[in-house]
Structures are given as C-alpha cells and as structure tokens.
Amino acid sequence: ENSNFNKIAHLSNGLVLELSRDGEYYIVDNGRECTDPVIVIPDTYNGLPISMIAEGAFVGNETIKSLTISENVIWIDQLVFSGCTALEYNEYGNAKYLGSADNPYAFLISGVSEDIESVEIHESTQAIAGRAFLNNTKLTAVKIPDSVIAIAKAAFSYTALSKLDLGEGIKYIGEQ
C-alpha cells in the first residue's frame, strides 16, 4: 500500500498538488505535463490553501501561455518557470510578474534581463521568486516595498547589490 496515495492530488491537465508535511496547505509540485495553455492555480484544494510552488514545478513546459496564481501562494521557489518559452508575463519597472486579475503584480518572477541596473518593485508585489535576479551583475540597489512578505532562496545571488532596503512586511527570506 502506498502511504502517500492520499497526499497527492492530480488536477486537470496534469497539474499535481502535494499536501505539505504538516498538513496545513498544498504545494504545486508539478506542472511540467500540463497541456492547457491557460492554467489557474486555485485559492484552495480540499479546503486548504495552495501556498507554495515547488522548485522546478513548471520547468520546460512550452505549452503554458497564461498562468494565474492565487494570492494564497506565499512562496515561489527557484527555477519554477525555467524553459517556459510561451509563458506571457506582466512587466513593470524592469521586472516580470505573474498574478491574478485582481493583482497582476503579486509575484515578481525575474528581471527583464541580466543587464538591468535598477528595478522598481510594484507596490502590490507580495513575493519574490527564487533566483529572480540571479546573475544581474549590474544591479546595485533594491528597495523592497512593505507589501512583500517573502523572498525565496537565491533571489539576489550573484548581483552587485550594495544596498537592499527591506520593507516592513517581510516574514520569510530564503537562503543565499
């Protein structure tokens, strides 16, 4: 008998959710096989919030064009959308975002390129994804608005940051 059988949920079009170890929330564990070009990550599943997107969850998916993410998500790990060549982002202040109709700038996914010298983070952004500014060697200063509650691991690795102003809303900061 597979003891994890009840812990894994398969949503339509290949989206896989996994229950967190503490049983408090769901994690988008895999979307690499999603075949629908428009994906919506719902607020809840089985009465619990969907709060995290796991490392590499959608890596290499060339089908997804639009992805709506619930504001219940507070953590987007690294390499989540690497190789998602058809995915369309919202852009603001030298950065690419995903979100919902209510807040299209909820999740800062990456800089528009590795050559940016500055970034203005939208005032309604709630989380910065892992490796968002990896290798942006010209980026020297960033001001994080109070709306941001989470900065995932390696978000600013290998940058030239000499000044980082953290907003008052920060609750979670990943390693590196």
Side-chain angles (χ1 to χ4, degrees), residues 102-132:
D102 292 336
N103 184 1
Y105 305 105
F107 306 99
L108 192 158
I109 304 303
S110 70
V112 294
S113 76
E114 289 182 4
D115 293 329
I116 62 172
E117 295 178 14
S118 66
V119 63
E120 181 182 351
I121 298 174
H122 196 277
E123 64 186 15
S124 64
T125 299
Q126 68 182 45
I128 299 174
R131 294 189 178 195

Side-chain angles (χ1 to χ4, degrees), residues 1-161:
E1 179 180 313
N2 182 352
S3 63
N4 288 329
F5 181 76
N6 292 328
K7 292 185 178 183
I8 304 225
H10 293 273
L11 298 181
S12 63
N13 301 312
L15 190 65
V16 178
L17 300 180
E18 184 174 346
L19 188 62
S20 64
R21 287 184 185 153
D22 62 9
E24 298 285 321
Y25 59 91
Y26 278 95
I27 300 163
V28 175
D29 187 54
N30 190 334
R32 293 181 290 280
E33 305 301 320
C34 286
T35 57
D36 189 343
V38 178
I39 302 292
V40 176
I41 296 174
D43 292 342
T44 61
Y45 184 79
N46 284 343
L48 295 174
I50 299 172
S51 299
M52 180 179 176
I53 302 177
E55 182 173 333
F58 291 93
V59 72
N61 185 316
E62 296 178 358
T63 303
I64 299 172
K65 290 184 180 182
S66 172
L67 182 68
T68 300
I69 303 174
S70 160
E71 289 191 46
N72 281 345
V73 172
I74 57 169
W75 191 267
I76 297 179
D77 215 330
Q78 58 188 351
L79 303 171
V80 171
F81 304 108
S82 179
C84 294
T85 55
L87 186 57
E88 297 171 1
Y89 297 94
N90 305 307
E91 290 189 17
Y92 175 86
N94 278 339
K96 295 179 180 181
Y97 296 84
L98 290 172
S100 65
D102 292 336
N103 184 1
Y105 305 105
F107 306 99
L108 192 158
I109 304 303
S110 70
V112 294
S113 76
E114 289 182 4
D115 293 329
I116 62 172
E117 295 178 14
S118 66
V119 63
E120 181 182 351
I121 298 174
H122 196 277
E123 64 186 15
S124 64
T125 299
Q126 68 182 45
I128 299 174
R131 294 189 178 195
F133 296 100
L134 180 73
N135 294 326
N136 277 253
T137 58
K138 296 179 182 175
L139 187 61
T140 59
V142 175
K143 183 179 187 310
I144 308 290
D146 291 343
S147 59
V148 174
I149 59 171
I151 301 172
K153 62 184 164 189
F156 296 99
S157 288
Y158 304 106
T159 63
L161 277 184

